[in-house]
Amino acid sequence: MAQRLWKAGNAAAVWIYRRTGGRVGGRARGGSLVLLLTVAGRKSGVPHTVPVAYVERDGAYYLAATAGGQPKEPQWVRNLRAASTATVEVGRNRRTMSVEVLRGAESDAAWRDIIVATYPSFGPYEAKAGRRIAVARLTELG
């Protein structure tokens, strides 16, 4: 039941974001910027769109798979690991991006120096979740 409610909430958030060009839904509680991420399911191949907080740095979008500090990482990052591309929508701007889920020291540095440096409220999520928070870097193709 909770999963169905979560999916319905995400679907409503995506609809509102698209309808308003991100004027509504373009920022999360706490002020983090939000984009729409569309990536194919790693098993089904069916595209899924979810709102995700991001940091833009040096022409790339950095996404942290915090799931609000939940122990289980969000499905979208699992799908990104299996994908080479994804689509992002920032406001009304839609682009296909190359995907890289960072690893090791590069992931740690992106988490600390980009994500937490921009959104300090994200800092406690690793301890709360009991896992390392995955960070993905999306860069424009071509």
Side-chain angles (χ1 to χ4, degrees), residues 40-75:
R42 68 190 186 286
K43 294 179 184 175
S44 69
V46 174
H48 297 281
T49 303
V50 293
V52 180
Y54 73 94
V55 175
E56 186 174 4
R57 181 75 50 91
D58 300 325
Y61 294 112
Y62 289 83
L63 314 177
T66 63
Q70 296 299 308
K72 190 174 175 182
E73 69 180 3
Q75 199 72 333

Side-chain angles (χ1 to χ4, degrees), residues 47-99:
H48 297 281
T49 303
V50 293
V52 180
Y54 73 94
V55 175
E56 186 174 4
R57 181 75 50 91
D58 300 325
Y61 294 112
Y62 289 83
L63 314 177
T66 63
Q70 296 299 308
K72 190 174 175 182
E73 69 180 3
Q75 199 72 333
W76 62 260
V77 78
R78 294 177 190 169
N79 292 339
L80 283 180
R81 284 190 184 102
S84 60
T85 63
T87 301
V88 296
E89 296 171 62
V90 178
R92 297 199 186 280
N93 185 4
R94 184 180 200 148
R95 299 188 289 209
T96 301
M97 310 292 281
S98 177
V99 171

Side-chain angles (χ1 to χ4, degrees), residues 13 27-28 64 83 114:
R27 282 199 183 267
I114 297 173

